[in-house]
Amino acid sequence: MNAIVHKNLGEIIDYSNIPSHVAIIMDGNGRWARKINKERFFGHNRGINSVKESIDVSIELGIETLTLFAFSMENWKRPKSEINALMTLLSSSIENELKSIIENNIKLNVIGDLDLVPKKTRDKLLNAIIKTKNNDGLNLNLAVSYGAKQELVRAIKIISHKVKKNIISEENIDEETINEHLYTENSKNVDLLIRTGGEFRVSNFLLWQISYAELNFQKVLWPDFKKYHFLNAIIDYQNRTRRFGKIHA
Ligand code: IPE
Ligand code: IPE
Ligand code: MG
């Protein structure tokens, strides 16, 4: 998309109504690569550009939290070769981008079961979390080895353990208790969920946190997702009426 199109979309955006928390299911890398007769990995690699562009747009718009679905719990069922390639891509991208992540005041958080992630990748992720922990710009949650159902099971186990140990009393368990025991403990609920790649499903992503999110499904395959598509999703969001069950005059 050219700069003029961007400029026009930028002018339509209402800067007083920017979603605080945007989550993206970055889907379609494999199909993007197959369309041009390349290996699936080529698409994953190219998808990194879209990740960078989405982060830049989020900073530009003043979005507080961006949560990106990079690797699902179910993705562990893919062939070993693809898993290895994705884990290597993840660690090399973090390594290459860490300086710029720090300079851009981004606070990186990783959500998911890191115990399953190979040590080399895990160490790179943990190092980036530590190095950015005092940053107070964009909160970037990277969902790696993440599944929403598994996240809920984990939260329930921690809570029941605390009940047993009298740290929490059963009567006091409420929505906030659940929020505090999810990987996303510090993030607000999702306002806008975007999924690229043309599928109309949420694939076990943030089930609790998207309970009142606005949903935006786009056909575009992730490596083709640019600022133009992100701004369109924001404009679409701004044209929704969020009633939260109430009646609007
Ligand atoms: C999304 O692209 C990236 C991951 C799930 C890791 P896919 O790899 O799912 O690509 P498609 O959906 O097969 O095209
Ligand atoms: C969802 O995409 C997971 C990520 C984008 C990381 P998938 O390609 O794994 O989802 P399904 O298989 O189409 O549901
Ligand atoms: Mg897919």
Side-chain angles (χ1 to χ4, degrees), residues 26-32 40 44 70-71 75 78 82 86:
M26 311 184 288
D27 195 25
N29 293 348
R31 277 166 283 163
W32 184 89
R40 292 175 54 82
H44 295 312
F71 191 91
N75 291 150
R78 292 192 179 191
E82 177 158 344
L86 280 165

Side-chain angles (χ1 to χ4, degrees), residues 175-211:
E175 287 183 19
E176 210 34 59
T177 318
I178 313 275
N179 281 334
E180 285 165 5
H181 291 86
L182 297 174
Y183 292 120
T184 50
E185 54 182 318
N186 299 316
S187 308
K188 293 183 191 156
N189 283 332
V190 174
D191 296 299
L192 170 64
L193 173 73
I194 301 170
R195 180 174 187 142
T196 64
E199 311 288 359
F200 297 99
R201 54 175 171 259
V202 291
S203 301
N204 200 16
F205 190 42
L206 303 174
L207 300 181
W208 172 275
Q209 300 88 334
I210 61 166
S211 60

